[in-house]
């Protein structure tokens, strides 16, 4: 039996980035099922470059505390220590999309426009993993470069979608890659692997204000450049 496109579309529409979690742990078997499905994505030469380091229980809390300490003490900007360079700028439509999803989040959690203190505090919640009981740190072999990272992007998307189907909420977080040197040391991740992002995950807190908004998408016509 094949899944219909409309069923698949329902799943894609249902998935969203969650920024408020319950404390309940996701059973290891469920995490394994999510990865079992996500690993089906294509990759160049079938290299399957993705690896994830996953925390649970007290390990997540210990990591959260250390990460928060690091982020609070650091004066470095977002992406400062990342293995993969962060975007240099967002202009035109990319800037406006970035702003509108940021404002949607700020409106939802009550951060006023121009309130830099409150927006900085909201940003810091990245390093609290938004209260999630688990995080997956996603890495790719440095030698595979941008295409390895591209393959891992497919894996990240598949992970979030498979998780949605399993009732598990996720938020991919490039923000965590800001502290790549710390993550390498903390998790003993070898230097020949790039740290790309984290995925915090768990069960959504439906009453959390940060989960009360949804982002929009460009129209299909804005995406396809037909040549027929
Ligand atoms: C590679 C990647 C990195 C992201 N990094 C962050 C992040 O650091 N912090 C955050 O709150 N959301 C992050 N997000 C979530 C995006 O903001 C979110 O996917 C986008 O606004 C679309 O919203 P949606 O996921 O709810 O559909 C990231 C998403 C991706 C795919």
């Amino acid at each position: 039996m094949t899944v219909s496109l409309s069923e698949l579309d329902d799943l894609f529409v249902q998935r969203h980035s969650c920024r408020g979690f319950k404390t309940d742990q996701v059973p290891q078997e469920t995490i394994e099922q999510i990865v079992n499905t996500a690993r089906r994505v294509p990759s160049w030469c079938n290299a399957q470059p993705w690896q994830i380091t996953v925390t649970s229980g007290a390990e997540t809390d210990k990591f959260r505390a250390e990460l928060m300490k690091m982020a609070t003490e650091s004066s470095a900007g977002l992406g400062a220590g990342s293995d993969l360079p962060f975007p240099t700028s967002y202009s035109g439509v990319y800037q406006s999309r970035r702003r509108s999803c940021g404002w949607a989040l700020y409106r939802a959690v009550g951060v006023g426009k121009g309130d830099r203190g409150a927006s900085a505090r909201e940003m810091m919640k990245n390093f609290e993993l938004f209260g999630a009981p688990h995080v997956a740190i996603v890495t790719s072999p440095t030698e595979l470069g941008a295409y390895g990272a591209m393959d891992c992007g497919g894996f990240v998307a598949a992970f979030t979608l498979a998780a949605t189907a399993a009732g598990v909420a996720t938020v991919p977080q490039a923000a965590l890659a800001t502290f790549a040197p710390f993550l390498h040391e903390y998790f003993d991740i070898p230097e020949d692997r790039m740290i790309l992002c984290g995925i915090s995950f768990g069960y959504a807190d439906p009453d959390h204000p940060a989960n009360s908004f949804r982002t929009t998408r460009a129209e299909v016509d804005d995406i396809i450049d037909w040549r027929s």
Side-chain angles (χ1 to χ4, degrees):
M1 193 198 99
T2 55
V3 179
S4 74
L5 187 53
S6 85
E7 282 171 327
L8 199 57
D9 188 62
D10 287 347
L11 175 68
F12 276 54
V13 169
Q14 206 186 318
R15 186 215 58 80
H16 64 94
S17 292
C18 174
R19 297 184 182 84
F21 293 87
K22 296 179 180 171
T23 53
D24 309 54
Q25 299 289 308
V26 178
Q28 186 166 322
E29 193 193 354
T30 305
I31 300 173
E32 284 169 355
Q33 282 167 348
I34 291 167
V35 173
N36 184 47
T37 297
R39 72 192 169 127
R40 294 288 165 195
V41 289
S43 58
W44 195 358
C45 304
N46 199 24
Q48 307 166 66
W50 43 80
Q51 273 188 6
I52 54 175
T53 299
V54 178
T55 68
S56 298
E59 259 316 309
T60 306
D61 290 331
K62 186 166 157 268
F63 172 60
R64 191 192 333 268
E66 294 286 323
L67 186 64
M68 264 310 273
K69 186 164 171 276
M70 169 73 53
T72 309
E73 287 169 2
S74 166
S75 55
L78 262 191
S82 64
D83 290 339
L84 193 66
F86 267 34
T88 51
S89 62
Y90 289 83
S91 57
V93 287
Y94 309 115
Q95 184 187 48
S96 64
R97 289 171 190 163
R98 182 181 190 218
R99 282 186 179 152
S100 67
C101 87
W103 284 333
L105 171 62
Y106 290 164
R107 249 194 323 274
V109 298
V111 174
K113 262 189 195 175
D115 187 343
R116 284 172 185 271
S119 58
R121 281 193 294 282
E122 187 56 36
M123 198 280 287
M124 287 296 281
K125 291 187 181 162
N126 271 288
F127 306 114
E128 287 174 343
L129 313 173
F130 299 108
H134 307 274
V135 66
I137 305 294
V138 183
T139 70
S140 179
T142 307
E143 64 179 336
L144 298 193
Y147 277 96
M150 181 171 162
D151 293 341
C152 289
F155 180 82
V156 168
F159 184 101
T160 64
L161 289 159
T164 303
V168 173
T170 58
V171 58
Q173 291 176 272
L176 302 192
T178 296
F179 298 111
F182 164 72
L183 299 181
H184 277 287
E185 196 181 326
Y186 188 88
F187 290 116
D188 204 13
I189 295 169
E191 291 299 326
D192 62 1
R193 297 195 67 83
M194 291 188 287
I195 292 172
L196 301 177
C197 66
I199 310 173
S200 290
F201 64 96
Y203 297 106
D205 173 357
D207 300 325
H208 196 292
N211 292 333
S212 66
F213 77 99
R214 295 294 179 268
T215 53
T216 59
R217 292 297 185 271
E219 295 303 324
V220 171
D221 281 348
D222 295 326
I223 298 169
I224 307 177
D225 175 13
W226 292 111
R227 304 294 170 103
S228 51

